[in-house]
Amino acid sequence: AQTVTQSQPEMSVQEAETVTLSCTYDTSESDYYLFWYKQPPSRQMILVIRQEAYKQQNATENRFSVNFQKAAKSFSLKISDSQLGDAAMYFCAYRPDPNRDDKIIFGKGTRLHILP
Amino acid sequence: GAGVSQSPSNKVTEKGKDVELRCDPISGHTALYWYRQSLGQGLEFLIYFQGNSAPDKSGLPSDRFSAERTGGSVSTLTIQRTQQEDSAVYLCASSSRVAWNGYTFGSGTRLTVV
């Protein structure tokens, strides 16, 4: 069965600094999607960034970028120039085989604190 | 609608009572998912509906939990004879099969069983 592991339950970073959140996953599939979701105190889950496994180039969305290491099954999120609004729970997630219907599997999350 | 709507936002119920949680997905989204988020935990998959196919119920924790989706749109998650361990945030999400780009989540229902 596929699993997603986030080994950092909590992290803190100084405002304007850079922080990296770790994620590893386990799968025997060759094609899949990976995601980072953000959950602020409002509970609304927001998609931050996504990566298709067949793409070698790391996805980037403004201050958010990923380091996707397919062989190592690693998918870390880098947040540059951290802002107070980045404080939230961050969930790494995996979806198998984009050509068939299936559910997303989530990690347990990393709570990110931004220090002013 | 413009987003995924869940109601109620918060629900407090007495142990042993039944509760119904509602999810109204984005219009045109064929897939609908229910997840449970307990304190300090990740999102636990409960059930998944896709169009007219039989739902994937593999995540339902016990036979006290059930869900239906009427007319391929609104879904109701029912918990019978609630227990204190059912206290959690219940999140609903929907997605489009045609242009799949992840889920769109609702804001969830926080259920507290006292």
Side-chain angles (χ1 to χ4, degrees):
Chain A
Q2 295 96 353
T3 57
V4 178
T5 302
Q6 294 179 250
S7 59
Q8 305 150 317
E10 286 195 63
M11 291 192 72
S12 296
V13 63
Q14 209 74 35
E15 194 176 2
E17 296 294 308
T18 295
V19 63
T20 298
L21 308 183
S22 301
C23 173
T24 58
Y25 57 94
D26 187 25
T27 184
S28 58
E29 309 247 357
S30 60
D31 201 10
Y32 45 86
Y33 287 117
L34 295 165
F35 305 87
W36 280 97
Y37 278 88
K38 170 185 177 181
Q39 187 183 40
S42 66
R43 298 201 304 250
Q44 184 77 51
M45 294 281 284
I46 302 163
L47 178 63
V48 174
I49 199 165
R50 82 170 195 173
Q51 174 85 42
E52 289 93 336
Y54 69 87
K55 291 185 177 179
Q56 293 188 336
Q57 186 173 7
N58 289 323
T60 299
E61 288 287 341
N62 301 314
R63 297 183 295 106
F64 299 86
S65 61
V66 298
N67 183 3
F68 173 46
Q69 301 289 328
K70 191 172 183 179
K73 296 178 184 175
S74 171
F75 183 62
S76 61
L77 175 70
K78 185 171 82 171
I79 306 174
S80 303
D81 185 23
S82 298
Q83 300 176 1
L84 294 177
D86 295 335
M89 279 289 285
Y90 286 82
F91 292 96
C92 179
Y94 165 96
R95 183 183 189 264
D97 191 350
N99 293 316
R100 73 164 195 260
D101 299 323
D102 212 332
K103 56 190 175 287
I104 292 178
I105 299 164
F106 290 85
K108 291 189 181 295
T110 296
R111 183 171 299 282
L112 179 64
H113 303 278
I114 309 295
L115 307 174
Chain B
V4 177
S5 177
Q6 290 190 248
S7 60
S9 179
N10 292 281
K11 175 73 176 179
V12 180
T13 190
E14 291 181 353
K15 179 181 172 181
K17 294 281 181 68
D18 297 352
V19 294
E20 286 188 351
L21 312 180
R22 176 187 167 102
C23 173
D24 198 345
I26 290 175
S27 178
H29 278 193
T30 55
L32 186 148
Y33 310 79
W34 284 98
Y35 285 80
R36 178 169 71 175
Q37 184 178 18
S38 302
L39 187 64
Q41 298 296 311
L43 277 69
E44 174 191 5
F45 167 75
L46 296 177
I47 189 168
Y48 158 46
F49 297 89
Q50 174 59 272
N52 295 320
S53 303
D56 176 353
K57 304 180 182 180
S58 60
L60 294 178
S62 76
D63 58 8
R64 296 187 296 105
F65 287 73
S66 63
E68 62 176 20
R69 188 179 184 192
T70 53
S73 181
V74 173
S75 177
T76 302
L77 177 68
T78 300
I79 309 173
Q80 295 178 310
R81 305 180 302 282
T82 51
Q83 304 294 313
Q84 287 186 328
E85 60 263 29
D86 299 335
S87 296
V89 174
Y90 290 82
L91 289 164
C92 175
S94 68
S95 68
S96 168
R97 195 178 203 176
V98 174
W100 204 87
N101 192 32
Y103 296 166
T104 301
F105 280 87
S107 295
T109 294
R110 180 178 298 282
L111 175 66
T112 304
V113 182
V114 298

